[in-house]
């Protein structure tokens, strides 16, 4: 999963620490005022299994842009569930939606790519 990979990179870069609780990892940022908000956003998504799964499906999409129904079909989730989580990911500025006639496409936001690139470089 793409987010798992980024979390491991952040741990190696000493931007995150983690502990395992009840079989799942709980990540905490190593406090740095320039990264805290961005790291918190990525961590919050990683800690929410459905959001992380949806974001990873977008990352792994064979197309640069995908659709709600394509994600729902791929993950075998109800379209309304996908739509709900996409609204949250969009409000966190991690994805972007664009309307093309009757079709709405979804892609990773430039902000998300920027956050990940800055954290990896950090």
């Amino acid at each position: 999963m793409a987010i798992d990979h980024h979390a491991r990179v952040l741990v190696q870069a000493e931007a995150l620490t983690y502990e395992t609780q009840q079989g799942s990892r709980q990540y905490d940022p190593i406090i740095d005022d320039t990264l805290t908000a961005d790291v918190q956003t990525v961590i919050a998504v990683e800690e929410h299994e459905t959001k992380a799964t949806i974001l990873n499906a977008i990352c792994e999409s064979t197309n640069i842009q995908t659709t709600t129904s394509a994600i729902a079909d791929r993950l075998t989730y109800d379209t309304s569930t996908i739509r709900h989580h996409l609204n949250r990911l969009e409000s966190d500025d991690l994805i972007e939606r664009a309307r093309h006639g009757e079709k709405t496409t979804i892609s990773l936001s430039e902000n998300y790519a920027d956050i990940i690139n800055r954290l990896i470089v950090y």
Side-chain angles (χ1 to χ4, degrees):
M1 295 181 111
I3 293 176
D4 291 334
H5 167 75
H6 294 302
R8 283 192 302 275
V9 169
L10 293 172
V11 168
Q12 290 173 351
E14 298 180 357
L16 288 179
T17 61
Y18 73 91
E19 63 182 67
T20 303
Q21 295 178 355
Q22 299 175 344
S24 69
R25 288 186 176 181
Q26 301 296 314
Y27 293 95
D28 291 305
I30 294 175
I31 302 300
D32 177 334
D33 292 339
T34 63
L35 295 179
T36 300
D38 293 341
V39 171
Q40 295 274 356
T41 299
V42 173
I43 291 170
V45 168
E46 174 60 24
E47 289 180 343
H48 192 284
E49 186 178 343
T50 305
K51 281 186 190 177
T53 301
I54 292 168
L55 191 59
N56 284 322
I58 296 168
C59 289
E60 296 168 356
S61 177
T62 55
N63 300 320
I64 293 174
Q65 298 176 329
T66 189
T67 64
T68 303
S69 58
I71 295 169
D73 290 346
R74 181 173 179 194
L75 300 177
T76 63
Y77 287 169
D78 189 72
T79 307
S80 64
T81 300
I82 300 295
R83 203 174 294 117
H84 166 77
H85 291 292
L86 289 174
N87 289 338
R88 300 282 176 104
L89 290 168
E90 187 174 36
S91 71
D92 288 340
D93 199 22
L94 299 178
I95 65 161
E96 296 173 343
R97 291 191 248 196
R99 191 107 173 114
H100 305 282
E102 293 183 19
K103 187 176 177 181
T104 301
T105 58
I106 302 154
S107 59
L108 298 176
S109 71
E110 289 182 29
N111 181 59
Y112 177 73
D114 181 56
I115 290 169
I116 296 302
N117 288 332
R118 284 188 297 125
L119 293 174
I120 290 171
V121 170
Y122 178 77

